[in-house]
Amino acid sequence: MNPWSIGIIGLAGLAAIIGGSFSSPEALLAVASLTALGVGVGWPHFLGIPARKTLAVLIGLPGVGSAVAATYLPAPGFLDWTPSFMAAGVMAIFVMQLLRGTGQAQRLESTLGSCAGVMLSCLGAGWIACSRFNGVREMLLVAAISAAIALMAGLIRWPDRIVAPLGIIGAGLAGPLAGLVFSDIAVLPAALVGVVVGSVLVSFRRLVILRGGPLSLAAALGMGLGPVSAVGSLAYFIDKLLIY
């Protein structure tokens, strides 16, 4: 698959998250869980590491658990269990690598890369926390629109030195505009969300460029959904710090 397919997958994931948030808590939980599983399946393929089926389970399940906890934990501790699920996933990966035995190929790369995948998988629970926070979805919309602008900028087949600033600036401008249109969020917090979201997404685009080579569907799925998952927690914490 072409690298631009990653942006298409990311945009589809964002659309599903927005649709789930305005549907029902169970629908958003289903979307977040599928996103976590998608990261789990695709991340090992993107990294090109062995034991992909086992790692898919160890990366995806903590994200599902984190999403379930964020859905049903009482306010304000929506993400209280997320660090525990991250820790459990990391420990499970270390145990799995020990069971593989010494002398196995890419043990270090597999361990470090899979731990990063666990983090991305679990951070998707932030979308649920953002949706439940104070019963409003304003910051969720601002973050999603900013992310969509950054992802669309990433679809442009220009050099990264042009696309990266374009994505960050575009997301930074889209945040305040979305805040003015869809909510009463102040310009500064909305702009900060846009810049942070844009920076994260263009950084992942750079990872794809550095990797080079063709991408399988699974690899594109993991790389498309991974940064989208992480953006949810970023938006939630900025919402708590700057707005309330």
Side-chain angles (χ1 to χ4, degrees), residues 4-159:
W4 59 263
S5 60
I6 294 175
I8 300 298
I9 292 173
L11 288 170
L14 278 174
I17 289 169
I18 294 174
S21 67
F22 283 93
S23 179
S24 66
E26 291 75 18
L28 183 56
L29 172 59
V31 172
S33 299
L34 290 174
T35 300
L37 293 175
V39 174
V41 171
W43 193 251
H45 284 269
F46 178 79
L47 297 178
I49 53 181
R52 294 170 186 171
K53 293 181 180 179
T54 304
L55 288 173
V57 175
L58 298 181
I59 293 173
L61 286 184
V64 174
S66 183
V68 172
T71 301
Y72 296 108
L73 281 177
F78 306 121
L79 300 183
D80 281 357
W81 287 9
T82 297
S84 299
F85 282 108
M86 287 184 182
V90 169
M91 288 189 291
I93 287 171
F94 272 88
V95 171
M96 189 273 283
Q97 295 296 342
L98 290 174
L99 294 176
R100 288 181 65 200
T102 58
Q104 296 295 324
Q106 296 181 298
R107 259 183 108 182
L108 180 60
E109 296 88 342
S110 179
T111 302
L112 296 178
S114 299
C115 290
V118 170
M119 182 183 70
L120 292 175
S121 174
C122 291
L123 288 178
W127 287 112
I128 298 174
C130 201
S131 177
R132 293 184 63 195
F133 189 51
N134 287 337
V136 298
R137 301 175 179 85
E138 296 175 343
M139 184 57 77
L140 184 145
L141 278 174
V142 170
I145 292 172
S146 298
I149 296 298
L151 287 171
M152 286 189 286
L155 297 177
I156 302 174
R157 298 184 180 182
W158 289 351

Side-chain angles (χ1 to χ4, degrees), residues 121-218:
S121 174
C122 291
L123 288 178
W127 287 112
I128 298 174
C130 201
S131 177
R132 293 184 63 195
F133 189 51
N134 287 337
V136 298
R137 301 175 179 85
E138 296 175 343
M139 184 57 77
L140 184 145
L141 278 174
V142 170
I145 292 172
S146 298
I149 296 298
L151 287 171
M152 286 189 286
L155 297 177
I156 302 174
R157 298 184 180 182
W158 289 351
D160 200 46
R161 64 179 180 275
I162 299 175
V163 174
L166 182 64
I168 295 172
I169 294 171
L173 294 175
L177 181 60
L180 291 172
V181 174
F182 297 106
S183 69
D184 56 356
I185 296 177
V187 171
L188 180 59
L192 180 60
V193 169
V195 170
V196 172
V197 168
S199 300
V200 170
L201 293 177
V202 299
S203 297
F204 276 86
R205 182 182 187 272
R206 183 61 182 169
L207 285 178
V208 177
I209 294 173
L210 291 174
R211 181 186 185 275
L215 294 171
S216 65
L217 175 59

